[in-house]
Amino acid sequence: MDRYSQANLLNWNERAALHSTDTTGSYRIAQVLAGGSSLHEIEEREIGDIAGLDAVHLQCHIGLDTLSLKHLGARSVAGLDFSPVAIAAADDFARHAGTSARFVVGRVEEAPDLLGRGSFDLAFVTWGAINWLADIRLWARTVAALLRPGGRLYLLEGHPQMNQCELQGGRLAFEFPHAGATDEPLAFDEAQTYTGDERSLSATRNYEWIHPLGSVVGAVLEAGLRLDFLREHDRIAWRAFEGMIEDGVDLFRLPPGIAAPPLAFSIGATRPG
Ligand SMILES: C[S@@+](CC[C@H](N)C(=O)[O-])C[C@H]1O[C@@H](n2cnc3c(N)ncnc32)[C@H](O)[C@@H]1O
């Protein structure tokens, strides 16, 4: 594993420990343990009917969305994440919820070998996943390898243009370069996680990549998937900027009057039959 992924793993192991004992309500743990769903309105609507599907959740973190997919009707669910702390929590939640799910520790590109090539009807990837990966083309090939003919990808992410911005003096300003200008990731140091939890992180350093929309769509097409939709959204699942207004359950938008790029995007794509 390269030094960027090693740092990210230390960071995510710590975050997983905090998130699995979350008291801020961000992770909707009680709701999932009671047989409900932690999905936001956008992804729950956009995945459509998943009854009877075999679903894989890449970068599943502590497994709550994976279990939600099962609660929403998937025939089987599998979740993969490179953090052993996250996967231990996911197994624990599955036991407590009484929900059958397969959770595996691994890097995204290992998923086809660990979970089975051509084994899934739905690959589900949402909110803060591909920004941790250096190689978006490898990611797309991995997704395509996991899907059966006719199987589909659902991706919902923070918008790359939004990720380039910071709020300065009440306006959004471009702060970070368009990816491709550099192969190096952006380096961040955060003393706390994004849920509002006041407990401190000690492994503060993390590295992220901003993949332009054209690179993501290009990678999906190059991997042999057919694009079903590409949508842009003006709401996001975290308070990306100070002063954001809650609009829907755990979804946030900018206050009126601030010129901004889209905050999120979603892609549906199918492996041709
Ligand atoms: C923000 S979380 C994903 C959140 C997700 N929407 C959920 O269901 O909670 C990002 C996850 O990506 C995982 N991750 C980061 N880099 C990875 C990699 N190279 N391979 C597998 N998992 C990775 C982290 O461990 C973390 O659990």
Side-chain angles (χ1 to χ4, degrees):
M1 206 184 294
D2 63 57
R3 71 184 179 93
Y4 301 129
S5 300
Q6 275 170 18
N8 285 346
L9 178 56
L10 291 176
N11 181 265
W12 275 113
N13 276 335
E14 281 196 10
R15 287 186 201 247
L18 298 186
H19 297 170
S20 58
T21 53
D22 178 61
T23 52
T24 69
S26 298
Y27 271 94
R28 298 177 289 286
I29 294 171
Q31 211 165 301
V32 177
L33 293 186
S37 165
S38 54
L39 266 52
H40 301 84
E41 183 259 312
I42 299 176
E43 61 264 31
E44 189 162 330
R45 174 170 37 83
E46 289 195 328
I47 55 174
D49 183 9
I50 61 166
L53 301 187
D54 295 321
V56 59
H57 182 192
L58 294 176
Q59 297 175 253
C60 69
H61 197 41
I62 54 176
L64 295 165
D65 282 3
T66 324
L67 298 176
S68 301
L69 293 173
K70 179 79 175 145
H71 296 165
L72 289 169
R75 179 170 68 168
S76 74
V77 292
L80 173 135
D81 198 284
F82 78 163
S83 161
V85 178
I87 290 299
D91 275 328
D92 221 38
F93 285 136
R95 251 190 318 277
H96 279 89
T99 301
S100 79
R102 181 178 175 206
F103 288 109
V104 174
V105 178
R107 297 194 308 278
V108 168
E109 64 270 22
E110 297 176 308
D113 288 337
L114 292 171
L115 296 170
R117 286 170 192 277
S119 304
F120 297 97
D121 305 300
L122 173 70
F124 180 87
V125 184
T126 60
W127 296 131
I130 59 174
N131 53 305
W132 302 104
L133 308 177
D135 188 341
I136 196 67
R137 295 163 83 201
L138 176 59
W139 168 81
R141 287 198 302 274
T142 302
V143 168
L146 286 163
L147 292 174
R148 299 190 169 112
R152 58 188 169 96
L153 161 70
Y154 177 73
L155 170 69
L156 173 62
E157 269 295 7
H159 200 285
Q161 279 179 287
M162 185 271 308
N163 284 332
Q164 284 183 263
C165 293
E166 280 199 346
L167 195 60
Q168 291 172 6
R171 296 173 68 92
L172 285 190
F174 280 104
E175 176 67 16
F176 301 109
H178 188 260
T182 166
D183 286 339
E184 293 297 302
L186 301 171
F188 297 99
D189 276 297
E190 285 145 345
Q192 282 163 330
T193 190
Y194 46 77
T195 55
D197 196 317
E198 287 180 359
R199 292 174 289 177
S200 298
L201 296 168
S202 57
T204 57
R205 173 50 63 100
N206 57 82
Y207 296 97
E208 294 186 48
W209 288 263
I210 299 176
H211 299 294
L213 203 48
S215 305
V216 180
V217 173
V220 165
L221 295 175
E222 202 179 292
L225 302 182
R226 187 191 68 222
L227 193 64
D228 298 322
F229 62 82
L230 165 63
R231 297 184 188 129
E232 293 177 311
H233 306 273
D234 56 8
R235 293 183 296 169
I236 191 167
W238 60 90
R239 290 182 193 274
F241 303 106
E242 219 177 288
M244 289 186 89
I245 300 164
E246 188 156 11
D247 179 5
V249 180
D250 283 319
L251 286 169
F252 304 91
R253 69 166 72 241
L254 282 160
I258 297 188
L263 300 181
F265 73 96
S266 54
I267 283 178
T270 300
R271 181 174 165 191

